[in-house]
Amino acid sequence: MSIANSDEVAASLAQGVQEYIDRSVERSGSTVAIKPGHRVKFHWPPHPISYSYHVLASDWTGRTVLDAHGEQFEVEVATTPNGVFGRSPELWHEDRGDTEEAMLANLRKSLEPLLQRQKLIGRTLEQEGRFTGHIHDLEPLGLLKLLFCEDRDVANEARTEIETRASSGIFMAPLLTILNDRRHPYRRSAQWSVLDLFEDLPSFSRSQEDSHAAIVAIRNLIWSAEDDYARTIYKAGVVLGGHIPYMDGAEALVECFEAPSKIGRRSAIHGSFHTVEWMPETKDRVLAGLAKVTETDPEPLLREYAAQMARDIRSNRFAHTPDVMFPDEA
């Protein structure tokens, strides 16, 4: 793909992401950020229960149907002295019970996590019904939509796939659109994923203008932070200070010592430790900024945090003082 063509695709993707955000806000009726849950890795298929009971291939002689969520799934049945076993080849799962009826009830229950996940992916992709394909087969816009999924494990799978396609040169513009968003209810999870990708910013950036735009977007995210859901703002400080300080990230981070957001200022204080780690020549500049924080910050917790961080930097510690938590975050 030529640079001109990839630029056109990137612009189209950025527009597609913006339109998706607009539709999502319209559906939810709110722009308030929702705190996503922790990532829980999804494993499928589970260990086949028939293996534990030594059910033979020749035992699967029966057939029945499972009704679930308005769909019907063919089930192969094995009736043994250890109970009735049923397996769905389509869904890669099986279960057992004392009777066929009990087996179907157990199978329906144990299939629920998979079916709910597939329905959630389908809903996030704005598709009818459940998603029965593979995330790695999705087009770029589908992957970008999934970064907003309320299931953070789904978002992480999409992030991983985008990372493998970084060299395509089409993701920078839409990722910046996500980072600059202030409206999608699940923006924090999506923005965390973008920041994780931008730990290797040169893989996505093809020009100084791209890199500058990313630094400005991260700086603005820190500057105006209303929360630290998904530790996104914390991550922003780590990326600026610990991954791209040499690309003017260090200067942007120090600037955030004076951000209106106390959450943003905390992130900047934390990130400054890593800036000095990677760029020792910034030590005096960082310490001067931290000294000002200890004298002027309106938050007593941050004044002490900055003072301790400065002591850690001066003593060349390998680890820094733990982050402070604000009372309203408990």
Side-chain angles (χ1 to χ4, degrees):
M1 184 184 301
S2 69
I3 292 178
N5 286 342
S6 63
D7 286 344
E8 290 179 7
V9 173
S12 177
L13 286 174
Q15 181 179 347
V17 168
Q18 187 58 62
E19 291 172 352
Y20 176 73
I21 291 170
D22 293 342
R23 291 192 300 271
S24 299
V25 171
E26 184 177 352
R27 284 193 295 267
S28 68
S30 173
T31 60
V32 177
I34 294 174
K35 184 176 184 179
H38 296 294
R39 180 190 167 202
V40 179
K41 188 168 178 57
F42 186 75
H43 295 281
W44 200 269
H47 180 72
I49 192 171
S50 63
Y51 285 20
S52 300
Y53 289 87
H54 307 293
V55 178
L56 303 177
S58 58
D59 292 332
W60 299 95
T61 57
R63 296 292 184 274
T64 188
V65 173
L66 173 70
D67 292 301
H69 292 277
E71 295 186 67
Q72 290 190 325
F73 303 96
E74 288 191 6
V75 176
E76 299 174 352
V77 180
T79 302
T80 77
N82 291 313
V84 180
F85 295 80
R87 67 184 182 189
S88 167
E90 178 184 350
L91 300 174
W92 290 80
H93 186 48
E94 59 183 53
D95 216 315
R96 67 179 289 272
D98 293 334
T99 64
E100 184 173 298
E101 183 180 45
M103 175 272 291
L104 287 173
N106 291 337
L107 186 60
R108 185 181 298 107
K109 181 178 180 181
S110 57
L111 277 171
E112 196 64 16
L114 172 66
L115 298 179
Q116 288 294 343
R117 177 184 172 93
Q118 291 177 328
K119 288 174 65 177
L120 177 60
I121 294 174
R123 187 163 67 246
T124 306
L125 292 173
E126 303 177 291
Q127 297 178 354
E128 290 291 331
R130 49 189 189 93
F131 174 74
T132 58
H134 299 284
I135 288 176
H136 63 75
D137 292 330
L138 286 172
E139 295 296 318
L141 184 56
L143 295 173
L144 291 160
K145 288 179 179 181
L146 286 188
L147 295 182
F148 290 96
C149 188
E150 59 191 84
D151 184 330
R152 294 189 66 190
D153 188 58
V154 172
N156 186 68
E157 283 197 40
R159 180 203 62 77
T160 300
E161 184 59 32
I162 290 172
E163 187 174 38
T164 68
R165 305 186 196 181
S167 62
S168 65
I170 63 174
F171 284 104
M172 189 70 184
L175 292 176
L176 286 174
T177 299
I178 294 173
L179 210 54
N180 287 319
D181 177 51
R182 301 293 183 268
R183 300 170 61 239
H184 194 290
Y186 282 100
R187 59 186 176 271
R188 287 299 187 236
S189 180
Q191 289 165 341
W192 188 98
S193 293
V194 174
L195 290 166
D196 195 70
L197 292 170
F198 280 2
E199 287 185 359
D200 185 19
L201 184 58
S203 291
F204 292 91
S205 171
R206 296 189 303 175
S207 67
Q208 286 188 329
E209 290 77 12
D210 278 352
S211 298
H212 179 70
I215 289 168
V216 170
I218 299 171
R219 178 264 186 202
N220 290 345
L221 188 65
I222 293 173
W223 193 264
S224 60
E226 298 172 348
D227 58 73
D228 200 11
Y229 295 161
R231 299 305 303 278
T232 298
I233 310 307
Y234 167 90
K235 181 84 164 179
V238 170
V239 173
L240 276 186
H243 291 273
I244 53 173
Y246 54 90
M247 303 171 76
D248 294 331
E251 191 59 35
L253 189 75
V254 172
E255 184 181 348
C256 288
F257 286 167
E258 299 183 13
S261 165
K262 66 181 182 182
I263 293 167
R265 298 196 302 276
R266 177 180 62 190
S267 171
I269 294 168
H270 167 249
S272 69
F273 181 88
H274 302 296
T275 296
V276 176
E277 276 187 309
W278 290 105
M279 296 181 65
E281 64 271 24
T282 65
K283 184 174 182 178
D284 290 343
R285 174 77 173 92
V286 167
L287 287 175
L290 291 174
K292 186 174 181 180
V293 174
T294 63
E295 297 170 359
T296 64
D297 198 283
E299 290 289 335
L301 283 174
L302 290 184
R303 293 199 298 270
E304 175 52 36
Y305 183 46
Q308 181 58 59
M309 193 66 71
R311 289 193 288 269
D312 292 343
I313 290 172
R314 287 194 187 93
S315 62
N316 296 315
R317 289 188 59 183
F318 292 105
H320 58 77
T321 187
D323 281 2
V324 296
M325 298 294 290
F326 299 114
D328 56 353
E329 293 181 307

